[in-house]
Amino acid sequence: MDSRLFKVPAVEIVVRDTKWAEEKGIVSYLRLSLCLPYPILLVPVVCGYIDSDGYNPTRTLSQFLEIHYKGAPQKDAQPLVFVGKGITFDAGGISLKPRAGMKLIRGDMGGAASVISAALAFAKLQLPVSLAVRTPLMLMENIPGPSAAKPGDIVYAMNGKSVEVDNTDAEGRLVLSDTIYASTEYKPHTRIDVATLTGQTRNSAMDSALGEIYTGVFSSWDELWEQLHEAGDHEFDRFWRMPLNED
């Protein structure tokens, strides 16, 4: 995969494998995406293909996708960073979701799709900014399996913090926590994480809170929130700020 995918200049695409993630210490991601016949918590989607020996069902994808768009005039300009969640099917793992409407959970890759689409728009419009997109290209499914994680398991994140798994349907925050932390190496001026928040109901947690008109936003930066709010009203793609404080 390279810049020919976009057919636009100033774009670099890098696909990172699990060996790279191990070297970087992205450990909670690795804990959730080990490429084993029955990986822990996240079971890789089997990408069957035809080769000279016939059908081969063993090819799996568990990778980080990076997209770099270098449109800023200054080569050393601080980038804007997008992080997106890309789980292709989230049944909840051992903490299984209710069956009603479960087919809709294929949309749990919506965050990754959004940031990749935004990167394509940046590049095609040739915006004068530098952008780094990092998303776990998690062509994976969170479903029950013989080696699935169990409530009570302990996972260690990239920053050294230990995390107890209470609900295996909360896999996204573990993977994204490492991805967000790893993106600090870019020294971004702004970092935006886009992800679905599905929960244990037919509707997503954000749908339950806000309905289908608004997108929920957690932001620690008032100026960024104001810009998002203004842009959302202008395009009728509205945002609603959610509480974010120590309480």
Side-chain angles (χ1 to χ4, degrees), residues 9 15 86 89 97 124 136 143 203 220 225 239:
V15 180
F89 193 87
K97 295 179 185 292
K124 284 191 171 182
I143 59 177
N203 296 323
S220 58
W225 158 247
F239 298 99

Side-chain angles (χ1 to χ4, degrees), residues 47-107:
C47 301
Y49 62 96
I50 303 296
D51 59 20
S52 58
D53 298 322
Y55 181 72
N56 186 336
T58 61
R59 183 183 179 189
T60 59
L61 297 176
S62 175
Q63 300 166 320
F64 269 77
L65 173 66
E66 295 179 7
I67 303 173
H68 300 273
Y69 166 65
K70 300 176 182 178
Q74 305 84 6
K75 291 185 178 180
D76 59 347
Q78 284 185 285
L80 165 65
V81 165
F82 288 159
V83 175
K85 175 185 174 184
I87 295 179
T88 56
F89 193 87
D90 179 15
I94 297 298
S95 305
L96 193 66
K97 295 179 185 292
R99 65 182 181 180
M102 189 181 285
K103 66 179 183 180
L104 301 177
I105 214 63
R106 296 176 184 274

Side-chain angles (χ1 to χ4, degrees), residues 1 13-17 63-66 137:
M1 186 182 296
I13 298 175
V14 182
V15 180
R16 307 288 192 182
D17 59 15
Q63 300 166 320
F64 269 77
L65 173 66
E66 295 179 7
L137 189 59

Side-chain angles (χ1 to χ4, degrees), residues 112-171:
S114 296
V115 296
I116 291 170
S117 298
L120 178 59
F122 272 56
K124 284 191 171 182
L125 293 172
Q126 298 182 0
L127 299 182
V129 298
S130 288
L131 173 69
V133 175
R134 176 171 280 177
T135 175
L137 189 59
M138 295 179 292
L139 302 182
M140 293 182 162
E141 300 175 341
N142 183 16
I143 59 177
S147 297
K150 302 171 290 297
D153 285 355
I154 303 297
V155 176
Y156 288 90
M158 186 180 182
N159 64 0
K161 291 184 178 294
S162 60
V163 181
E164 180 181 358
V165 176
D166 182 64
N167 184 330
T168 62
D169 195 22
E171 84 298 330

Side-chain angles (χ1 to χ4, degrees), residues 24-37:
K24 296 288 289 185
I26 305 179
V27 286
S28 72
Y29 163 77
L30 289 171
R31 177 66 172 80
L32 301 178
S33 62
L34 293 174
C35 291
L36 299 173

